[in-house]
């Protein structure tokens, strides 16, 4: 069984109880935490690393991760720092907007020395997002983690996952995101995020994809709402249609997609005689297509339920 270490923010999503209601329900969330939970719910071995508050929300989040089967040995408690929260507003199509409360919160307090305590030999995949790139200290720590994983020859999975309102200075965004590309094998972006980064660099969408590949990225995954998912490598390109559904809440759809892709990539690896490692599988279109198709089904199931952790599917729900 392949082992995932997901790193970043675990926070509280404040979801509206009804579409027209101003009251909210506190639900555990955070993009990389969602990926860790999604991977565990599918049946994978999943660890989560990051800073967590000692407040009541922090205790709730740690328990919520554990309840879903995520190993929390590499969570670091940060006394005195609050838990980040985000108010999630949903429109009639289940699309969301976010209002973050993330000032000096615990998720921003993780350092290189914490990564040094992780037994990298036991991990297979390291996953992270750009929400820990917004401040200098946590960006440096995040990049250090990616370098550690890369130095141990692990798969690095990077979901750009832009939340512009979190960035004190968006002029730093593209440069910081692109510094991670040199350590990344699997890069996931929405079409909107790819277009934003391409525009920032005065490139076309296609030219920006080639730029990413030139940095060493092996597989690029482009999600685009109800449009087909694109998978791009140096040698080939294909697309996978997504199911037609009535979305209730798209909050964790991209995270569910990533969890599904990474899980399927390593599924039954011990029985694979033709492609003996995860990195070999990244070079095999048949394996990539199988993983993307599975990931698309995971994302679709998640869109049909409200919330993050509760909406992430089990293997039975997508088989």
């Amino acid at each position: 069984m392949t082992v995932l270490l997901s790193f970043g923010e675990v926070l509280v999503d404040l979801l509206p109880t009804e579409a027209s209601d101003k009251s909210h329900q506190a639900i555990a969330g955070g993009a990389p935490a969602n990926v860790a939970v999604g991977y565990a719910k599918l049946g994978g071995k999943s660890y989560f690393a990051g800073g967590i508050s000692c407040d009541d929300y922090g205790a709730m989040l740690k328990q919520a991760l554990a309840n879903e089967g995520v190993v929390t040995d590499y969570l670091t408690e940060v006394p005195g720092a609050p838990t980040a929260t985000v108010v999630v507003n949903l429109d009639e199509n289940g699309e969301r907007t976010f209002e973050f409360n993330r000032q000096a919160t615990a998720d921003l307090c993780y350092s290189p020395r914490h990564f040094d305590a992780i037994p990298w030999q036991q991990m297979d995949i390291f996953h992270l997002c750009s929400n820990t790139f917004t401040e200098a200290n946590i960006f440096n720590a995040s990049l250090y983690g990616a370098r550690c994983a890369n130095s141990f020859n692990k798969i690095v999975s990077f979901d750009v996952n832009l939340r512009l309102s979190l960035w004190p200075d968006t002029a730093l965004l593209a440069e910081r995101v692109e510094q991670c590309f040199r350590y990344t094998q699997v890069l996931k972006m929405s079409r909107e995020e790819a277009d934003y980064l391409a525009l920032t660099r005065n490139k076309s969408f296609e030219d920006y994809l080639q730029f990413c590949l030139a940095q060493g990225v092996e597989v690029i995954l482009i999600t685009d709402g109800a449009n087909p998912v694109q998978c791009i490598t140096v040698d080939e390109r294909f697309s996978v249609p997504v199911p037609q559904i009535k979305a209730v809440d798209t909050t964790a759809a991209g995270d569910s997609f990533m969890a599904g892709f990474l899980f399927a990539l390593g599924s039954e690896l011990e029985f694979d005689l033709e492609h003996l490692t995860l990195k070999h599988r990244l070079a095999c279109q048949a394996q990539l297509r199988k993983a993307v198709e599975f990931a698309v089904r995971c994302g679709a199931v998640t869109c049909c339920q409200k919330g993050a952790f509760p909406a992430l599917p089990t293997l039975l729900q997508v088989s």
Side-chain angles (χ1 to χ4, degrees), residues 166-219:
L166 286 177
W167 287 80
D169 185 0
T170 55
L172 299 173
L173 189 156
E175 178 184 354
R176 287 183 177 175
V177 165
E178 290 164 6
Q179 283 188 56
C180 197
F181 290 173
R182 73 190 73 170
Y183 309 111
T184 298
Q185 286 76 49
V186 178
L187 173 64
K188 184 257 183 187
M189 298 182 282
S190 70
R191 177 59 193 256
E192 184 180 8
E193 289 163 348
D195 285 339
Y196 176 90
L197 290 169
L199 181 63
T200 301
R201 294 308 198 191
N202 295 313
K203 296 180 183 290
S204 68
F205 170 72
E206 293 296 336
D207 285 345
Y208 195 75
L209 296 182
Q210 294 306 310
F211 166 76
C212 296
L213 294 171
Q215 306 309 301
V217 175
E218 296 184 33
V219 176

Side-chain angles (χ1 to χ4, degrees), residues 97-144:
T97 56
F98 304 99
E99 299 174 40
F100 286 91
N101 178 14
R102 198 181 181 224
Q103 299 295 321
T105 49
D107 58 297
L108 299 173
C109 302
Y110 206 79
S111 69
R113 65 182 176 84
H114 295 124
F115 281 117
D116 288 338
I118 290 172
W120 289 100
Q121 297 90 339
Q122 299 176 20
M123 309 300 168
D124 297 298
I125 304 167
F126 178 66
H127 178 77
L128 74 166
C129 308
S130 72
N131 288 340
T132 50
F133 288 16
T134 56
E135 308 283 349
N137 287 340
I138 193 64
F139 165 65
N140 290 331
S142 302
L143 207 61
Y144 182 82

Side-chain angles (χ1 to χ4, degrees), residues 14-16 86-91 94-100 163 250-251:
L14 297 172
L15 280 175
V86 54
V87 177
V88 183
N89 299 303
L90 303 175
D91 66 17
E95 292 295 335
R96 68 269 193 259
T97 56
F98 304 99
E99 299 174 40
F100 286 91
R163 298 290 178 261
T250 62
T251 298

Side-chain angles (χ1 to χ4, degrees), residues 135-316:
E135 308 283 349
N137 287 340
I138 193 64
F139 165 65
N140 290 331
S142 302
L143 207 61
Y144 182 82
R147 286 200 302 270
C148 286
N150 195 262
S151 69
F152 280 91
N153 203 33
K154 308 304 178 181
I155 293 285
V156 176
S157 164
F158 178 36
D159 184 352
V160 171
N161 196 41
L162 295 183
R163 298 290 178 261
L164 296 181
S165 62
L166 286 177
W167 287 80
D169 185 0
T170 55
L172 299 173
L173 189 156
E175 178 184 354
R176 287 183 177 175
V177 165
E178 290 164 6
Q179 283 188 56
C180 197
F181 290 173
R182 73 190 73 170
Y183 309 111
T184 298
Q185 286 76 49
V186 178
L187 173 64
K188 184 257 183 187
M189 298 182 282
S190 70
R191 177 59 193 256
E192 184 180 8
E193 289 163 348
D195 285 339
Y196 176 90
L197 290 169
L199 181 63
T200 301
R201 294 308 198 191
N202 295 313
K203 296 180 183 290
S204 68
F205 170 72
E206 293 296 336
D207 285 345
Y208 195 75
L209 296 182
Q210 294 306 310
F211 166 76
C212 296
L213 294 171
Q215 306 309 301
V217 175
E218 296 184 33
V219 176
I220 304 174
L221 302 168
I222 303 291
T223 58
D224 191 12
N227 297 315
V229 173
Q230 297 182 59
C231 181
I232 303 103
T233 71
V234 170
D235 297 320
E236 52 202 359
R237 180 174 190 158
F238 62 87
S239 62
V240 173
V242 302
Q244 293 185 346
I245 59 168
K246 174 61 177 177
V248 174
D249 178 6
T250 62
T251 298
D255 307 322
S256 182
F257 174 90
M258 280 309 302
F261 177 83
L262 297 173
F263 176 80
L265 190 66
S267 180
E268 298 181 348
L269 191 65
E270 60 268 34
F271 304 112
D272 187 344
L273 300 179
E274 183 178 359
H275 305 98
L276 297 178
T277 70
L278 283 173
K279 290 195 173 182
H280 284 135
R281 286 189 166 202
L282 292 178
C284 174
Q285 181 173 342
Q287 292 288 354
L288 288 179
R289 182 178 289 275
K290 180 180 177 181
V292 174
E293 289 172 348
F294 182 82
V296 162
R297 296 199 300 274
C298 290
V301 171
T302 297
C303 286
C304 295
Q305 301 180 65
K306 185 179 287 190
F309 291 7
L312 296 163
T314 63
L315 187 59
L316 183 62

